C-alpha cells in the first residue's frame, strides 16, 4: 500500500474551505501514487475552537453520517481521484454529538470510528467500540488523538486484527505537568519565513515532536503495527500546532514525515512483510492473559481531562 498522511491549517467552522484543502492535498497524493490519504482530527470542521461553544452553537456544526453534506463531498473527492480518504467532522445522531473519523472508498463510507475519550466540549459523547475494517487488503483500525495515549486501546485494536492504525490528531504545543511542555509563542510562527530554524527548534523540542517520540513509536513497536499519524500545522482555533504528520513501521521507525510549515503530505510504501518480523508481533503471541485479565478489567473511574482544558473551562473544574 502507498500510504499518505497530510497536514494543513484549518479554518474554524469553515467546512467549504477545509474541504477544498482536503481536495487539493488528495489530488497531490493521488498524483504521487498514493492509495489512501489520512487527514487530522475533525479536519472538515476544525477542532479546538469548539471548546468555547454552547450546545446550540456546536449542534449547528454537526451533520448526520453518511447522508450529511460533508460526508457526501468527501465521497465525491474520493471518487474524483480514485483514492481512499480518512477525514473527521462532528456527527449528530438522535440529538447526541460525536467526534468520528470516516474512511470513504468506492463511493461509500466503509468505516466510522467515534472517539472514545472526547474532551474538547462537554456536549460531545464518547464512542464505545473499537473498529477494525478491510481496506485494500489490509486490516485497519482508527484511534483518535487521546485514544492513542491509552495503551489498552492500541492493544485491543491490534488484537482485533489491525495491521495499520490511523491516528488523526490535534495535538502538541499545549501545557502539561511534564517538564518542557507548553504553548509555542506566536512570535515564532509569525517569523517562520525569516527565522525557520527557531520555529523548527520549538516544534522539534519537548513541546512537539520530542513529546511524540516518547510514546508514538512505542505504540507501533509494542504492538507490531504500522501507524499513520496526522496533525494540523499552524493554528487550529487559538492553539498553534506543530504538524509533524508521519508514518511509522512495526519496528517503531519513522518511514517518512512532513518537515515543512506548509499544507503538505508525505507518502510511504508499507509492506506486510515487516509485521511478523517485529518484536510486537512476537510479544502479542507470548501473552499470558490468565495472569492479568482480572487486573486489567477491574473497575476504574476514568479521568482524562488535559491540564489546558481544566484550566480554561469552568464547567470541568469540579
Amino acid at each position: 500500500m502507498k500510504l499518505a498522511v497530510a497536514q494543513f491549517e484549518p479554518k474554524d467552522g469553515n467546512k467549504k474551505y477545509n474541504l477544498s484543502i482536503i481536495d487539493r492535498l488528495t489530488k497531490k497524493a493521488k498524483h504521487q501514487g498514493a492509495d489512501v490519504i489520512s487527514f487530522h482530527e475533525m479536519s472538515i470542521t476544525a477542532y479546538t475552537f469548539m471548546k468555547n461553544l454552547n450546545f446550540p452553537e456546536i449542534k449547528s456544526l454537526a451533520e448526520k453520517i453518511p447522508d450529511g453534506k460533508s460526508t457526501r463531498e468527501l465521497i465525491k473527492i474520493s471518487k474524483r481521484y480514485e483514492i481512499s480518504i480518512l477525514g473527521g467532522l462532528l456527527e449528530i445522531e438522535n440529538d447526541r454529538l460525536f467526534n468520528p473519523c470516516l474512511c470513504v472508498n468506492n463511493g461509500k463510507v466503509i468505516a466510522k470510528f467515534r472517539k472514545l475519550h472526547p474532551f474538547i466540549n462537554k456536549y460531545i459523547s464518547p464512542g464505545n467500540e473499537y473498529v477494525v475494517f478491510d481496506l485494500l487488503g489490509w486490516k485497519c483500525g482508527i484511534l483518535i488523538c487521546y485514544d492513542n495515549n491509552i495503551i489498552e486501546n492500541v492493544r485491543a485494536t491490534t488484537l482485533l486484527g489491525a495491521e495499520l492504525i490511523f491516528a488523526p490528531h490535534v495535538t502538541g504545543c499545549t501545557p502539561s505537568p511534564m517538564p518542557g511542555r507548553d504553548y509555542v509563542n506566536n512570535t515564532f510562527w509569525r517569523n517562520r519565513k525569516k527565522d525557520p530554524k527557531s520555529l523548527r527548534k520549538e516544534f522539534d523540542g519537548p513541546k512537539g515532536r520530542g513529546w511524540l517520540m516518547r510514546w508514538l513509536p512505542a505504540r507501533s513497536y509494542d504492538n507490531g503495527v504500522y501507524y499513520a499519524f496526522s496533525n494540523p500545522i499552524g493554528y487550529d482555533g487559538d492553539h498553534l500546532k506543530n504538524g509533524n504528520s508521519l508514518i511509522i513501521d512495526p519496528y517503531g521507525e519513522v518511514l517518512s514525515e512532513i518537515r515543512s510549515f506548509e499544507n503538505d503530505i508525505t507518502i510511504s510504501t508499507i509492506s506486510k512483510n515487516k509485521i511478523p518480523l517485529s518484536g510486537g508481533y512476537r510479544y502479542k503471541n507470548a501473552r499470558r492473559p490468565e495472569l492479568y485479565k482480572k487486573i486489567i478489567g477491574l473497575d476504574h473511574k476514568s479521568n482524562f481531562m488535559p491540564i489546558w482544558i481544566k484550566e480554561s473551562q469552568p464547567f470541568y473544574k469540579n
Side-chain angles (χ1 to χ4, degrees), residues 160-207:
L160 289 171
E163 301 160 311
L164 163 63
I165 292 179
F166 292 98
H169 279 63
V170 176
T171 197
C173 305
T174 51
S176 165
M178 184 183 297
R181 293 198 62 203
D182 207 340
Y183 298 115
V184 171
N185 194 293
N186 179 60
T187 301
F188 292 104
W189 180 253
R190 194 171 60 244
N191 294 335
R192 65 190 181 278
K193 296 190 184 298
K194 294 181 180 178
D195 184 15
K197 289 184 179 180
S198 293
L199 178 59
R200 177 49 59 199
K201 185 178 179 181
E202 285 288 294
F203 279 176
D204 281 356
K207 297 175 183 178

Side-chain angles (χ1 to χ4, degrees), residues 65-104:
I65 297 172
D67 299 323
K69 183 177 179 180
S70 295
T71 303
R72 295 198 305 271
E73 182 60 28
L74 201 65
I75 289 171
K76 286 180 183 178
I77 297 170
S78 173
K79 290 176 69 176
R80 183 178 303 131
Y81 302 114
E82 298 181 330
I83 186 173
S84 301
I85 303 174
L86 287 95
L89 66 160
L90 187 67
E91 179 189 13
I92 188 165
E93 181 181 80
N94 298 327
D95 225 30
R96 294 181 70 197
L97 304 178
F98 299 94
N99 175 351
C101 176
L102 312 178
C103 180
V104 300

Side-chain angles (χ1 to χ4, degrees), residues 35-50:
D35 301 305
V36 57
I37 183 167
S38 182
F39 292 89
H40 63 263
E41 178 182 11
M42 285 196 180
S43 48
I44 294 172
T45 54
Y47 175 74
T48 306
F49 80 105
M50 291 189 186

Side-chain angles (χ1 to χ4, degrees), residues 6-56:
Q7 66 178 30
F8 72 90
E9 186 173 29
K11 291 186 178 181
D12 297 345
N14 192 334
K15 300 177 190 178
K16 183 177 180 180
Y17 171 82
N18 295 333
L19 282 163
S20 75
I21 302 300
I22 288 171
D23 186 302
R24 180 161 63 83
L25 294 177
T26 299
K27 181 180 181 180
K28 182 177 181 179
K30 180 63 178 180
H31 284 177
Q32 294 183 24
D35 301 305
V36 57
I37 183 167
S38 182
F39 292 89
H40 63 263
E41 178 182 11
M42 285 196 180
S43 48
I44 294 172
T45 54
Y47 175 74
T48 306
F49 80 105
M50 291 189 186
K51 65 185 171 68
N52 298 317
L53 302 185
N54 60 33
F55 184 70

Side-chain angles (χ1 to χ4, degrees), residues 277-297:
L277 301 176
S278 66
Y281 182 88
R282 298 193 299 276
Y283 305 153
K284 284 186 292 186
N285 289 334
R287 291 175 304 113
R288 293 184 59 193
E290 72 276 7
L291 296 178
Y292 39 76
K293 61 183 179 180
K294 292 182 180 178
I295 299 172
I296 292 174

Side-chain angles (χ1 to χ4, degrees), residues 86 103 110-112 131-135 138-142 166:
L86 287 95
C103 180
I110 65 169
K112 180 181 75 174
V131 171
V132 174
F133 61 101
D134 294 312
L135 178 64
W138 287 71
K139 291 286 187 182
C140 300
I142 305 171
F166 292 98

